[in-house]
Amino acid sequence: MPPAASRLGLVVFALVAAPAAAQPTTDPPADTTGTPLIHLELADGTALVGRVVREDDEQVEFRTTGGALVIVPAAQVRSRRPFEGAVRGGRAVASDPNGTRLFFAPTGRPLGRGQGYVAAYEVFFPLVAYGITERVSVSGGTVLAPGAFGSVVYAASKATFLRTNAVDLAAGVFLLTAFFESVCSDEGCEESSGVGGIAYGVGTVGDDQRAVTLGAGASVGAAEGGGLVLVGGELQVSNSIKLLSENYVAFAGGDAGTVISAGVRFFGERLAADLGLFTSPDLLLEEEVDLADFPFLPWVGFTYNFGR
């Protein structure tokens, strides 16, 4: 790995992975019944996370993750579902449903069979992703711009081949296809096309709340001859906020360039919004750089998750 990528990886690892090693990722269960944690929603909108101790047609005895025993009339239970998250200090911490990606780059985590999302990156770049199996997913979209809609198409696939409590390893490919009318004469126009992309491997180390993602890819097709290294991190700070960083060292024709980013994700059970800033260290370190000119590329992304 190049020196720049190594330094970047160490910084992200120190900020994200080190706190995770300093304390357990989850506390012991609030009880020892062995029943799964569930999310219980009541008719008045109250949400409880814990385990059902016992229930009948009249009432539900429910022990929360904090240890409190709550008796709820059965008629007041609006819904229940498995809780996706962790327990820390007796407090339930929800998981980000968008853990399969950083801002845009994939993590090693799989999407899951029947799960998917619809996303819009920078407004004009929509993407639909779907899990075919528990470990294989596909995605694709087209640019929402005049002259490019339907003519510029991108597609991707990812397969996670290793899953443990702390490590996810995956491989995949991202392809971009462009169709354009390039040569015209009295007899008509000939359509030209080009296909290029990245074949990559990626690994994520950590849990749903704290993780580091490392990856490497090589260009294929029309873009053959280049490559990139990915270093990313995520740190969840609340039940609805996660800090993100997605960084690249790209190579092409003997030259290398670095892109760094930082931002935040606001998420709920279905919806998420990503806000971030991308820039280059070379740009920031220029002697004549004027921060008033805002040498950053704003990143905006919106996602709706389904099938969970």
Side-chain angles (χ1 to χ4, degrees):
M1 183 179 292
S6 301
R7 291 193 296 270
L8 189 58
L10 290 174
V11 171
V12 175
F13 185 84
L15 291 176
V16 179
Q23 60 183 24
T25 57
T26 58
D27 291 337
D31 60 73
T32 58
T33 62
T35 56
L37 279 172
I38 67 170
H39 181 282
L40 198 71
E41 184 177 355
L42 307 184
D44 63 358
T46 300
L48 302 172
V49 176
R51 293 176 170 85
V52 174
V53 178
R54 65 174 60 88
E55 63 179 317
D56 54 33
D57 294 339
E58 299 297 327
Q59 64 185 25
V60 177
E61 293 186 22
F62 192 81
R63 188 173 298 280
T64 69
T65 54
L69 182 63
V70 181
I71 299 177
V72 180
Q76 294 299 309
V77 178
R78 176 184 296 171
S79 66
R80 67 174 75 186
R81 64 179 183 278
F83 175 71
E84 297 182 1
V87 178
R88 291 192 173 88
R91 184 173 64 92
V93 181
S95 294
D96 175 15
N98 308 275
T100 61
R101 61 180 178 81
L102 298 171
F103 287 117
F104 176 78
T107 64
R109 305 183 185 105
L111 191 56
R113 182 174 183 177
Q115 297 181 357
Y117 59 85
V118 179
Y121 304 125
E122 302 289 62
V123 180
F124 297 104
F125 302 93
L127 183 77
V128 178
Y130 185 76
I132 299 176
T133 72
E134 289 298 327
R135 298 195 178 196
V136 177
S137 61
V138 295
S139 59
T142 184
V143 179
L144 299 181
F149 182 80
S151 296
V152 179
V153 178
Y154 38 88
S157 64
K158 184 177 77 172
T160 298
F161 53 87
L162 176 65
R163 292 218 74 190
T164 69
N165 290 334
V167 179
D168 293 276
L169 299 179
V173 61
F174 176 85
L175 296 176
L176 177 67
T177 302
F179 301 92
F180 294 106
E181 294 182 351
S182 56
V183 180
C184 295
S185 63
D186 294 339
E187 298 178 354
C189 295
E190 295 182 2
E191 189 177 74
S192 63
S193 64
V195 179
I198 294 287
Y200 65 86
V202 64
T204 297
V205 180
D207 58 22
D208 290 342
Q209 279 73 45
R210 300 177 177 90
V212 170
T213 293
L214 302 174
S219 56
V220 295
E224 189 172 353
L228 57 81
V229 173
L230 163 70
V231 180
E234 52 194 296
L235 175 62
Q236 186 169 323
V237 296
S238 77
N239 267 344
S240 59
I241 298 176
K242 175 180 281 187
L243 305 180
L244 298 174
S245 181
E246 180 176 321
N247 313 280
Y248 299 93
V249 178
F251 310 91
D255 297 325
T258 303
V259 175
I260 60 175
S261 74
V264 61
R265 170 176 294 156
F266 303 95
F267 65 89
E269 294 181 13
R270 299 287 182 183
L271 299 175
D274 296 347
L275 303 175
L277 294 174
F278 280 74
T279 190
S280 167
D282 295 336
L283 180 62
L284 294 178
L285 294 176
E286 287 184 358
E287 294 183 1
E288 298 180 358
V289 65
D290 186 354
L291 295 181
D293 293 335
F294 200 72
F296 303 94
L297 172 66
W299 176 271
V300 179
F302 298 97
T303 307
Y304 172 78
N305 297 276
F306 60 87
R308 300 184 65 85

